[in-house]
Structures are given as C-alpha cells and as structure tokens.
Amino acid sequence: MVALVILSLVALGYLELLHASHVLVARSREQAQAISYAAAGMERAKLELPKLDPKPTELLPGGFRREVVARHWRLGFALLTVSVLLPEGTRLELTRLVPEPPEPEPDTTPGVRSQEER
C-alpha cells in the first residue's frame, strides 16, 4: 500500500511537470507567431512609406490583431510601431526608426504628358 502511494505521488508530479511543459510550449508558439506577424507588419509598413496614414486594426488568423502606427520623428526619419495583440490579451510591440524615402517628384520629361494633363 505504501509503495502504491509513493508511486502515485511520483506519477502525479510527473503529470504536473508534463502539463506545465505543454503550457510553456503553447505560449512559446503563440509568441513566435506574434513576432512573425509583427515583423511582417513592419516590413509592409516600411514599403508603404512615405505614406503615414493611419491604418485600421487588422484581424489575423488565430485570434491575433495587428495595429500599425507610423509618424514623422525628425527630418528624414519615421517612427514605426507595430503592435500585435495576442488572443489571451497580452501585447507585443515592435518599434523601429527608419529613414523616410524622398517624395517622388512628378515626371517632367519633355514630350511626355502626365496623367493629369491627359
């Protein structure tokens, strides 16, 4: 009987350890997915510069939400912040200071009419 009690306590401890490691792996996967969403949002925001228009919150697979905020920081630089809300309510923020590309100038090649002139 004593051996059975000791064995059940050892098995219970092992099951608790197994459950805790399962929860830890699930959280790690969720955070890795959030980091992936944040990095993808940052790359897309860098491609969309110099437009700094506010963007609506994006709903992503798995219950994630992403918000991208871009604003002028100093002359020639923009501050990009990508926030990813995880399903359990925590927030991951990725902030980068990036150079703003120059505004494209209208084509003034002689003999070529712009879309506005047509």
Side-chain angles (χ1 to χ4, degrees):
M1 188 68 150
V2 173
L4 188 61
V5 169
I6 292 173
L7 183 63
S8 64
L9 289 175
V10 169
L12 184 63
Y14 178 73
L15 288 175
E16 284 183 23
L17 180 65
L18 188 63
H19 175 69
S21 67
H22 177 70
V23 169
L24 186 61
V25 166
R27 283 188 188 158
S28 295
R29 280 191 189 130
E30 212 170 56
Q31 287 191 351
Q33 186 66 46
I35 290 168
S36 175
Y37 285 145
M42 180 64 69
E43 292 303 313
R44 192 176 74 206
K46 287 195 277 186
L47 289 174
E48 292 175 354
L49 285 177
K51 292 185 276 180
L52 298 177
D53 303 329
K55 294 163 187 60
T57 300
E58 297 176 77
L59 297 177
L60 302 169
F64 293 87
R65 292 183 297 162
R66 177 171 55 203
E67 300 170 350
V68 178
V69 177
R71 64 178 189 256
H72 291 289
W73 185 68
R74 298 235 171 115
L75 184 62
F77 289 96
L79 185 65
L80 298 177
T81 302
V82 178
S83 301
V84 176
L85 267 54
L86 282 74
E88 79 257 1
T90 58
R91 175 184 292 262
L92 172 86
E93 286 194 357
L94 180 61
T95 303
R96 295 282 183 267
L97 189 61
V98 297
E100 286 182 359
E103 298 264 348
E105 295 182 16
D107 189 16
T108 57
T109 308
V112 177
R113 294 188 304 182
S114 66
Q115 290 287 358
E116 296 169 359
E117 293 175 356
R118 292 182 192 167

